[in-house]
Amino acid sequence: MELPQGIETVHGSSKDHVLQLLSNLYGQKQAGRVWNSYLVENLEEIGFKPSLVDDCVFYRDNVIFIIYVDDGIFICPEDNKISQAIDDIKNIGLDIEDQGNPADYVGVNIRRQKDGTIELTQRALTDQIIEESMTLPTQSPSQQKLL
């Protein structure tokens, strides 16, 4: 990072010096990695364990926390454990907003059935695939006449 225009140094021109950042700036290449390290460290502090398979999934007892960039979702059969996890996250200084039962999460539609099961669908993606397939040629290349 270069010194901002107009900043003078006692040791020469601003072309000869750079700034050392004390904290990460939004938009930096390392911002995602820094945020993830910070999040993992804080979640581990309150008992969440990262998944060995997916960096976006964390477990604590039977609570599953899935995070994608800055959107998260809790999955647990016991609502009080979700509330406790949210409170714990707030208590360690992370800004979290409880928006209740989600209708969708990162393109996946979520619907709770009367029997307690949860239905996950991706209607928009399915519709897009069908729409794109309708624009494809109806004949295979081997059936088309070559000129």
Side-chain angles (χ1 to χ4, degrees):
M1 178 175 197
E2 292 181 8
L3 290 174
Q5 190 174 13
I7 299 292
E8 298 293 325
T9 66
V10 294
H11 301 292
S13 75
S14 63
K15 299 262 187 226
D16 298 330
H17 292 81
V18 294
L19 295 177
Q20 177 183 3
L21 299 177
L22 299 178
S23 65
N24 195 49
L25 296 176
Y26 181 80
Q28 294 284 309
K29 287 182 184 180
Q30 304 90 343
R33 183 181 54 78
V34 171
W35 163 244
N36 183 265
S37 295
Y38 176 78
L39 179 66
V40 170
E41 181 181 314
N42 280 278
L43 289 175
E44 286 178 335
E45 186 178 307
I46 59 172
F48 278 93
K49 305 273 187 254
S51 168
L52 299 175
V53 180
D54 192 325
D55 293 335
C56 298
V57 180
F58 299 85
Y59 302 96
R60 183 172 81 178
D61 299 323
N62 62 343
V63 178
I64 301 170
F65 182 40
I66 303 170
I67 189 149
Y68 181 76
V69 186
D70 61 352
D71 289 326
I73 188 169
F74 289 96
I75 302 168
C76 182
E78 302 171 57
D79 288 341
N80 64 324
K81 286 192 176 185
I82 292 175
S83 296
Q84 183 62 54
I86 291 170
D87 288 344
D88 291 345
I89 289 172
K90 287 178 180 179
N91 289 337
I92 59 171
L94 292 175
D95 187 20
I96 187 170
E97 184 179 316
D98 184 356
Q99 296 181 343
N101 290 323
D104 65 276
Y105 180 70
V106 293
V108 177
N109 297 326
I110 303 167
R111 188 169 35 169
R112 187 179 297 252
Q113 303 297 322
K114 290 179 183 176
D115 65 0
T117 60
I118 296 174
E119 176 184 68
L120 305 173
T121 60
Q122 287 187 295
R123 179 67 189 234
L125 178 61
T126 305
D127 289 346
Q128 181 183 356
I129 292 169
I130 291 170
E131 185 178 317
E132 288 175 3
S133 70
M134 300 304 267
T135 62
L136 296 175
T138 55
Q139 294 180 331
S140 69
S142 63
Q143 293 173 319
Q144 294 176 353
K145 294 182 183 179
L146 298 175
L147 298 176

